[in-house]
Amino acid sequence: MFRRKKSVTGDRDAASSLDVVDTSAPMEGPHDRSVVDDLAGYYGELGFGHIDLGSLVIGVPRGRDLNVALDQQGRPEFHVVTQVSRVIPRAFAAPKTAGQWRTMVTEMRDQLEQQGADASIVDGPWGRELVAELPNATFRAIGVDGARWTAEIRVMSTPDLADQAAEEGREVFRHLLVNRGEGPMPAREQLPLTVPDEIQNALAQAQSQLAAQQQAQAYQQQMAAGGASAGAGQPPAQQQPTPQQPAPQAQQQVPQAAPDRPRRDGSAMDRLRGDDDL
């Protein structure tokens, strides 16, 4: 099920003496996908659900939800959610030499400071973590360099629950699996996800609903402006019907299990628990 042929961050130190033990990185994940033979067995022993997205396998601890949203570039991204935290895992191509995460976290800090945030770099279990205080929120980025990949999670929470949220994020982070692939990719390019068809369909439906509502709202605004300029005594123009349902959230929940499949812990990820075909 689980072959320890590679370390947490690959074999970049394999040429060094076998008597020297590097204690700077934890003996836990994120792991390279190749070290796990049986996804269902690996996550089943943890009591996790999981979703296989090709380049990234995300484990979902019991009692948490997995939601999907579109990022600023219109790409799907997956969020592990509780009432305390929102954890967003991602993975990037990296050069063979380590050091990409160090550069990334420094640049993130500089960008946040330019935007007026109080940002700092702190030591965490994997090394450098970025913590930024935003209006009514705390942002934390945790990352590590692997074998030609860099894994990252971003954790959002309210300031009073930031410490608990950080631990929830680390629990997800240590059980990520990354499949870099063998093809050439520019360093720091985000690894593409293979999204299940049912989630693609749910996203497309949500986008259509949102576009329809935006169009209806724009039409109503135009009619209101036209009616004000036309003055009294003219009949109101016929309005198009507006959607009866509210605008869909940008964040869409993964479809739940079919009725004939029993729920185990009340999580929206029950249908993924032990499944290896998503």
Side-chain angles (χ1 to χ4, degrees):
M1 180 188 68
F2 187 52
R3 296 177 285 114
R4 294 187 179 275
K5 71 178 184 180
K6 293 185 180 180
S7 68
V8 172
T9 55
D11 290 333
R12 61 176 179 261
D13 295 325
S16 61
S17 171
L18 296 179
D19 295 331
V20 177
V21 177
D22 180 8
T23 58
S24 62
M27 295 301 295
E28 56 189 11
H31 295 288
D32 195 275
R33 171 66 177 82
S34 62
V35 306
V36 178
D37 294 323
D38 178 10
L39 284 181
Y42 174 68
Y43 287 109
E45 285 186 1
L46 296 167
F48 283 20
H50 73 278
I51 185 168
D52 187 351
L53 301 168
S55 63
L56 189 64
V57 185
I58 302 173
V60 182
R62 185 179 298 275
R64 304 187 196 181
D65 289 333
L66 182 66
N67 292 356
V68 60
L70 296 176
D71 65 13
Q72 294 180 349
Q73 286 73 43
R75 298 171 301 195
E77 65 180 16
F78 290 78
H79 302 186
V80 181
V81 181
T82 70
Q83 293 182 345
V84 172
S85 66
R86 180 174 302 276
V87 180
I88 307 172
R90 302 194 301 173
F92 305 85
K96 293 181 180 180
T97 56
Q100 177 165 277
W101 173 246
R102 185 183 184 94
T103 302
M104 290 173 64
V105 74
T106 301
E107 291 180 357
M108 276 192 286
R109 179 196 61 187
D110 294 344
Q111 292 173 359
L112 287 166
E113 287 180 342
Q114 290 174 5
Q115 297 170 6
D118 181 10
S120 59
I121 295 176
V122 300
D123 289 332
W126 288 268
R128 291 188 160 204
E129 298 181 1
L130 172 68
V131 180
E133 298 300 330
L134 309 174
N136 302 317
T138 297
F139 168 83
R140 182 182 298 264
I142 304 171
V144 70
D145 291 325
R148 299 176 62 212
W149 49 260
T150 297
E152 175 201 64
I153 60 166
R154 300 186 173 195
V155 184
M156 295 296 298
S157 68
T158 56
D160 57 317
L161 297 174
D163 291 341
Q164 182 179 345
E167 290 308 310
E168 291 184 354
R170 292 181 182 119
E171 186 177 13
V172 173
F173 190 58
R174 65 173 52 96
H175 297 295
L176 286 179
L177 302 178
V178 181
N179 182 13
R180 160 65 172 79
E182 298 300 327
M185 290 184 68
R188 300 180 66 168
E189 181 173 319
Q190 188 170 342
L191 300 185
L193 302 178
T194 301
V195 181
D197 289 341
E198 61 182 318
I199 298 178
Q200 292 275 28
N201 294 337
L203 284 171
Q205 182 179 6
Q207 286 179 300
S208 297
Q209 292 172 346
L210 184 59
Q213 186 178 45
Q214 289 174 340
Q215 184 178 10
Q217 289 174 343
Y219 179 84
Q220 288 179 335
Q221 291 172 356
Q222 290 177 351
M223 295 307 300
S229 61
Q234 295 188 7
Q238 184 178 0
Q239 292 188 354
Q240 295 180 354
T242 59
Q244 296 300 312
Q245 58 188 34
Q249 299 288 328
Q251 189 170 327
Q252 298 297 318
Q253 192 168 25
V254 174
Q256 298 183 7
D260 59 346
R261 299 183 64 178
R263 296 177 64 83
R264 298 187 183 183
D265 63 2
S267 166
M269 281 296 296
D270 285 327
R271 64 159 302 156
L272 304 178
R273 191 175 305 284
D275 289 354
D276 199 17
D277 57 351
L278 293 182

